Amino acid sequence: MLRTDIKKKKLFITNNFDRDWVVESSSAAKNCKNYIREIVDTLDLQPNPTKDVIALSIGDPTVYGNLKPSEETVQAVIDVVQSGKYNGYAPCTGYEQARDAVATYLSHDGARFSFQDIILCSGCSSSLEICITALCDEKRNHNLLIPKPGFSIYRTLAETIGIKVKYYNLIAENNWEVDLENLEKQIDCFTAAIILNNPSNPCGSVYSEKHLKEILGIARLHQIPVIADEIYEQIVFSKNKFVSTAALNLDLPILICGGLAKRFLVPGWRLGWIAIHDNSDAFSKNIRKALVSLSQRIIGSNTLIQGALPKILFDTPQIFHDNLINTLETNATMIFKLLKEAKGLLPYMPQGTMYMMVKVYLKRFPFEDISHLVIKLMEEESVFCLPGSCFQTPDFIRIVLTVPENLLREACSRMIHFCNKYCTTT
Ligand SMILES: *Cc1c(COP(=O)(O)O)cnc(C)c1O
């Protein structure tokens, strides 16, 4: 074709716009699925119009307005905005002073970090995404081991980049400890990393030092790096202690993911981090560089929150943290006691976090599956819980502990009424 013809053709196309023009999406986009949304959107949820809806499903602690960040946290951001010093680009891995604050914050119980070990990210989700992308390679047919039940974003992040996930089981009767034999069985020569979530969403479990050593021992034996999602660090109830994987100081490469979202009650502020813990130096040659390269794609995290980070981490008074845990534990204790009275349900008392798992003896109900029960509970009692299928555990429901006490109490009494109506004893 002559140049002039091409020009003519172009004109022709723009003048006669093809209405059937469909742009194809990439395979990354096609493989990217939000599993909670997929399940929830297929539920035909119609609340009972005579009862106010109580959602026990939302994993955002701020939605009901009863849990707020500390005054110190809020003031720190106001000061930073007014200073006018944080409007420009920060280095992709974060300001040194902010990284240094996280390093100091995480250096306790024998764990030691310097600012070079810290990369700031846009929320903990972004930390996880960077870690998974740095370690897992589609071209090498890698797979990623993730917990079941577990947070669905691990699968979403892995599958988007063509990585298969394999599940290892957690044992409900054992405070949701890892089934070590099952974990070891899942490992193969294509396993690129193991994701460990402690304390756990949705289980509410908090692992002992001994159990952590058992899990990490398996990873060490098979030379598999660990991605430790510790976003619920320190949110543990009385008689439990949070032990970071870093505090064990084992000879094993670990990427610890965390952030402000849950403990500081500001999920929307999108400040997360990766802390590199690598006594073995297995990450020194390639992975440290890979993490820095990947952080360059979106130029790091919000600079205002970075500027406020030292004050948020160190000036938030202990009483703020104590109050949050106290509220969560009081709610958990109350729900646990109440739901034990519901026929066909078995609540599992959490050891920390913002969630409780409740087992449903489905065979004793006239419902086909957990989704059917969740729909009926909404239809009759206007109470909504996430079905365990969102976490690969279809005979459970998950309840959030951040809902105000009076609403939780009301929700529980409606659930008891519902279960006692439908549950048969045989
Ligand atoms: C909430 C949550 C995250 C995500 O935290 P963001 O900082 O909001 O991205 C990560 N992991 C688990 C297990 C969570 O529950």
Side-chain angles (χ1 to χ4, degrees), residues 44-343:
D44 182 21
L45 293 168
Q46 308 281 355
N48 181 339
T50 68
K51 292 179 182 176
D52 285 339
V53 173
I54 307 176
L56 304 182
S57 55
I58 309 167
D60 178 345
T62 70
V63 281
Y64 281 97
N66 53 326
L67 299 176
K68 296 186 190 70
S70 74
E71 281 170 35
E72 290 78 5
T73 293
V74 174
Q75 193 59 48
V77 177
I78 292 172
D79 292 346
V80 158
V81 174
Q82 284 175 343
S83 78
K85 288 183 192 158
Y86 294 91
N87 299 329
Y89 288 118
C92 297
T93 51
Y95 288 117
E96 191 173 317
Q97 155 211 15
R99 294 166 71 196
D100 192 56
V102 174
T104 306
Y105 172 76
L106 294 178
S107 295
H108 57 79
D109 296 318
R112 288 286 163 266
F113 294 98
S114 82
F115 82 91
Q116 284 126 325
D117 302 320
I118 307 297
I119 293 171
L120 300 183
C121 307
S122 181
C124 182
S125 309
S126 165
S127 315
L128 290 163
E129 193 252 352
I130 289 176
C131 294
I132 292 169
T133 307
L135 294 171
C136 303
D137 193 344
E138 183 185 15
K139 291 206 179 88
R140 283 185 278 161
N141 202 19
H142 276 164
N143 61 61
L144 176 69
L145 298 198
I146 64 177
K148 175 174 143 180
F151 191 45
S152 65
I153 201 174
Y154 309 135
R155 182 177 171 195
T156 301
L157 295 173
E159 289 180 347
T160 300
I161 55 166
I163 302 300
K164 286 182 284 297
V165 296
K166 293 176 82 178
Y167 295 97
Y168 62 88
N169 294 330
L170 309 181
I171 306 168
E173 289 67 36
N174 237 352
N175 277 326
W176 301 101
E177 284 193 349
V178 174
D179 180 339
L180 298 167
E181 218 171 280
N182 177 257
L183 171 68
E184 198 156 17
K185 244 177 36 203
Q186 301 306 321
I187 295 172
D188 61 34
C189 58
F190 299 112
T191 302
I194 298 171
I195 292 202
L196 178 64
N197 178 212
N198 176 56
S200 157
N201 172 14
C203 304
S205 52
V206 177
Y207 292 157
S208 67
E209 180 171 332
K210 175 173 171 280
H211 188 53
L212 284 172
K213 279 184 177 160
E214 290 170 339
I215 301 163
L216 296 180
I218 290 174
R220 174 75 186 79
L221 182 69
H222 296 274
Q223 299 209 325
I224 304 193
V226 168
I227 300 171
D229 181 350
E230 297 185 359
I231 185 79
Y232 295 98
E233 47 109 21
Q234 308 295 353
I235 309 185
V236 300
F237 301 158
S238 47
K239 292 187 228 119
N240 290 280
K241 184 176 160 37
F242 167 70
V243 180
S244 171
T245 50
L248 302 176
N249 269 310
L250 301 178
D251 191 18
L252 166 83
I254 305 174
L255 298 175
I256 296 167
C257 296
L260 296 181
K262 309 291 162 56
R263 190 175 188 221
F264 292 86
L265 296 172
V266 287
W269 288 9
R270 313 310 300 140
L271 192 295
W273 54 70
I274 300 165
I276 305 165
H277 178 78
D278 183 24
N279 288 345
S280 57
D281 275 339
F283 284 153
S284 299
K285 193 158 172 238
N286 303 312
I287 296 300
R288 281 183 185 266
K289 206 170 124 214
L291 295 170
V292 173
S293 303
L294 291 169
S295 77
Q296 291 166 357
R297 288 175 306 166
I298 62 159
I299 323 181
S301 89
N302 186 307
T303 54
L304 297 174
I305 312 305
Q306 286 191 45
L309 200 49
K311 281 197 174 159
I312 294 173
L313 294 176
F314 303 122
D315 293 358
T316 297
Q318 188 54 39
I319 187 82
F320 168 84
H321 297 304
D322 295 345
N323 285 342
L324 173 63
I325 289 172
N326 200 15
T327 302
L328 295 168
E329 186 167 7
T330 305
N331 286 350
T333 310
M334 179 188 74
I335 301 172
F336 183 70
K337 221 166 126 190
L338 289 172
L339 289 188
K340 274 205 292 197
E341 303 304 317
K343 285 186 190 159

